[in-house]
């Protein structure tokens, strides 16, 4: 996608939002964007200026992860797969969150159901599928050290303490095979992608 540059030239991708034609396109947000600062959960500065919020759908599918570490970007690749192979109603929005953290606040505030797709490093063998729901989601993220996972934890906590919690949150993830530098998924993870995407669709149909 294209990038919106900053004075320092640093920027990073944000997410997928409707492009006005009923399709989903990529929008990019500069790293560190957000204007003024307010105290946020976990010591992260967050800004909730209304003019910086974007329209949200009732249901949001958020793929997160670092795509330059192969299977670590599984959540992002899953969202890309869903966008390419499935059609969703206007009530569902697909977001490529990449490695963004607190910046996602502007894309999630107001959504009612959030499905997070991610690579999950648990105790299982590579390829194991994990599912966490509501309270277990926060417990899961509290054990993580990736910057984007810490950021998601802060966003969810901030929305809760400001009386704007997301009523339904589910994390669906898979144990990675390879976390080495590279832009493609491992062969095993790529082969598991269609079945995982179907699991994500099943989660949505429950809602």
């Amino acid at each position: 996608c294209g990038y919106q540059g900053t004075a320092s030239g640093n920027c990073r991708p944000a997410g997928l939002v409707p492009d006005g034609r009923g399709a989903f396109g990529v929008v990019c947000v500069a790293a560190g964007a957000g204007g003024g600062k307010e105290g946020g959960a976990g010591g992260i500065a967050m800004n909730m200026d209304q003019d910086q919020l974007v329209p949200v759908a009732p249901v949001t599918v958020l793929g997160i992860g670092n795509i330059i570490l192969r299977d670590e970007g599984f959540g992002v690749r899953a969202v890309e797969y869903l966008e390419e192979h499935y059609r969703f109603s206007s009530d569902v929005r697909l977001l490529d969150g990449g490695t963004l953290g607190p910046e996602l606040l502007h894309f999630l505030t107001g959504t009612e159901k959030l499905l997070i797709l991610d690579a999950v490093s648990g105790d299982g063998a590579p390829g194991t599928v994990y599912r966490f729901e509501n309270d277990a989601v926060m417990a899961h993220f509290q054990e993580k050290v990736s910057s984007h996972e810490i950021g998601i934890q802060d966003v969810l906590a901030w929305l809760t303490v400001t009386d704007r919690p997301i009523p339904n949150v589910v994390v669906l993830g898979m144990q990675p095979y390879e976390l080495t530098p590279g832009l493609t998924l491992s062969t095993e993870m790529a082969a598991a992608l269609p079945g995982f995407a179907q699991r994500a669709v099943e989660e949505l149909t429950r809602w």
Side-chain angles (χ1 to χ4, degrees):
C1 71
Y3 288 83
Q4 174 184 340
T6 63
S8 64
N10 296 320
C11 53
R12 51 185 171 178
L16 300 172
V17 297
D19 62 6
R21 298 170 297 178
F24 286 95
V26 177
V27 62
C28 295
V29 174
K37 298 180 178 180
E38 296 180 4
I44 300 296
M46 296 186 183
N47 188 345
M48 276 293 293
D49 291 343
Q50 292 300 314
D51 60 356
Q52 292 183 330
L53 297 179
V54 299
V56 298
V59 179
T60 300
V61 182
L62 173 66
I64 57 176
N66 190 341
I67 63 170
I68 68 172
L69 292 176
R70 304 203 70 179
D71 292 350
E72 225 285 319
F74 184 69
V76 173
R77 300 309 185 193
V79 163
E80 293 173 348
Y81 187 94
L82 288 170
E83 183 192 16
E84 182 178 352
H85 293 87
Y86 293 86
R87 295 184 64 86
F88 298 95
S89 72
S90 59
D91 288 341
V92 179
R93 175 169 296 172
L94 305 180
L95 291 178
D96 168 3
T99 57
L100 291 181
E103 298 94 331
L104 288 171
L105 182 68
H106 308 296
F107 295 90
L108 299 180
T109 301
T111 195
E112 299 170 8
K113 299 177 175 65
L114 174 63
L115 175 61
I116 301 173
L117 307 180
D118 193 13
V120 174
S121 295
D123 298 327
T128 300
V129 175
Y130 299 91
R131 183 184 184 277
F132 308 99
E133 185 173 9
N134 297 327
D135 292 343
V137 170
M138 291 302 294
H140 162 67
F141 283 125
Q142 286 171 358
E143 299 175 355
K144 302 305 170 185
V145 294
S146 296
S147 60
H148 65 276
E149 291 178 320
I150 294 173
I152 290 292
Q153 175 188 338
D154 287 328
V155 167
L156 296 177
W158 197 92
L159 290 171
T160 298
V161 300
T162 56
D163 294 325
R164 282 175 279 200
I166 300 173
N168 299 281
V169 181
V170 171
V171 172
L172 194 63
M174 181 173 287
Q175 181 85 22
Y177 287 85
E178 295 184 31
L179 297 176
T180 55
L183 293 174
T184 59
L185 294 175
S186 65
T187 301
E188 298 87 349
M189 209 73 160
L193 194 53
F196 183 85
Q198 181 59 40
R199 283 284 301 271
V201 171
E202 291 170 1
E203 288 290 339
L204 295 176
T205 58
R206 292 191 184 100
W207 285 337

